[in-house]
């Protein structure tokens, strides 16, 4: 009989294996993208620690600036990875958001939150909220980062991510709706790419929340339709991306339909990609369908 030290709780091969003793084996080596500080590059990037006590950081992306007085919109990006893998430094996420920045001509801030299971599940949300607060502290032009002080237009702020990151981003926007934000800050849109909003018999959620009573659908972060704060969600528009063969599609569409019927009075839209699975655009970035997804996201971000 296998000891609890090596008994598998969730097998997400080829990505990771989570064990019942709370440890994890990440099966893919870290593939970190280098930073670029070339002022002539289409997109520059840098890492900034926002909370020294926890090590929470962000990676900031700045498009080529031709007018030093120009203010441009801000996109906050929260990466996916089942709450257990990835970082703002990962090549997959870095390359994706860098291409969006170049096309949309926005500043992007990619959040590097601490991962489960080494940290409690709640930490992924808490770290992302702390990063959001640090980012918006620049709205008065007096924050700690010069790129955000000099070039960020916080009256045109967008927030989103994919998979687990989309779920976290949704919670940030819901939390922002019941927070007294500076009047200079306007969250125009929320974008949710193949978002996680729970699945039936969710073994990963159970493994990451061993002491929590109830399943994922009883957690208002995973199931925002039971969150009384939802009606005050801070954004004006929400764009859902779903993929036909994605096992997370049902949860995403349930939230989409519920949000349409809720007391939240924003605009909502969904784009479905036929014949593709979860986060296909990362595995086939040069495909026509991946280009369609990116172009739709850029169009959404460039709306007034």
């Amino acid at each position: 009989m296998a000891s609890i030290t090596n008994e598998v709780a969730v097998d997400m091969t080829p990505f990771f294996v989570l064990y019942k003793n709370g440890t994890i084996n990440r099966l893919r080596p870290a593939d970190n993208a280098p930073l670029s500080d070339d002022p002539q590059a289409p997109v520059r990037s840098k890492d900034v620690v926002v909370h020294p006590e926890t090590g929470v950081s962000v990676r900031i992306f700045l498009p080529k600036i031709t007018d030093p007085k120009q203010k441009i919109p801000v996109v906050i990006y929260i990466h996916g990875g089942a709450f257990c893998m990835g970082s703002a430094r990962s090549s997959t996420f870095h390359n994706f958001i860098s291409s969006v920045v170049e096309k949309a001509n926005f500043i992007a801030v990619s959040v590097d939150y601490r991962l489960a299971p080494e940290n409690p599940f709640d930490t992924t949300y808490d770290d992302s909220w702390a990063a959001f607060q640090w980012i918006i502290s620049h709205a008065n032009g007096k924050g700690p980062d010069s790129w955000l002080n000099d070039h960020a237009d916080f009256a045109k702020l967008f927030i989103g991510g994919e998979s687990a990151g989309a779920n976290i981003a949704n919670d940030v926007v819901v939390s922002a709706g019941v927070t007294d934000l500076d009047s200079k800050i306007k969250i125009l849109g929320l974008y949710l790419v193949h978002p996680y909003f729970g699945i039936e018999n969710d073994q990963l959620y159970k493994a990451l929340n061993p002491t929590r009573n109830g399943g994922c659908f009883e957690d208002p972060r995973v199931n925002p339709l039971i969150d009384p704060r939802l009606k005050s969600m801070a954004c004006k528009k929400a764009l859902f991306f779903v993929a036909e063969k994605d096992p997370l599609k049902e949860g995403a569409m349930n939230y989409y339909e519920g949000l349409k019927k809720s007391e939240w009075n924003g605009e909502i839209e969904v784009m479905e990609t036929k014949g593709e699975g979860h986060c296909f655009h990362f595995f086939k970035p040069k495909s026509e369908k991946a280009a369609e997804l990116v172009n739709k996201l850029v169009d959404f971000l460039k709306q007034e």
Side-chain angles (χ1 to χ4, degrees), residues 236-283:
K236 297 180 178 179
K237 298 179 181 180
L239 173 60
F240 286 64
F241 292 87
V242 298
E244 182 182 21
K245 297 181 179 180
D246 184 358
L248 301 188
K249 177 188 170 184
E250 182 178 359
M253 291 305 299
N254 286 342
Y255 179 42
Y256 168 79
E257 295 294 344
L259 188 58
K260 282 200 301 184
K261 299 172 185 175
S262 74
E263 295 181 65
W264 177 70
N265 60 2
E267 299 176 24
I268 186 169
E269 183 181 359
V270 64
M271 173 185 174
E272 179 176 0
T273 303
K274 299 292 186 181
E276 297 291 352
H278 188 65
C279 290
F280 72 90
H281 55 293
F282 289 152
F283 305 107

Side-chain angles (χ1 to χ4, degrees), residues 33-48:
L35 298 168
S36 173
D37 195 33
D38 180 0
Q40 300 306 312
V43 179
R44 298 165 68 190
S45 54
K46 64 178 176 180
D47 291 332
V48 181

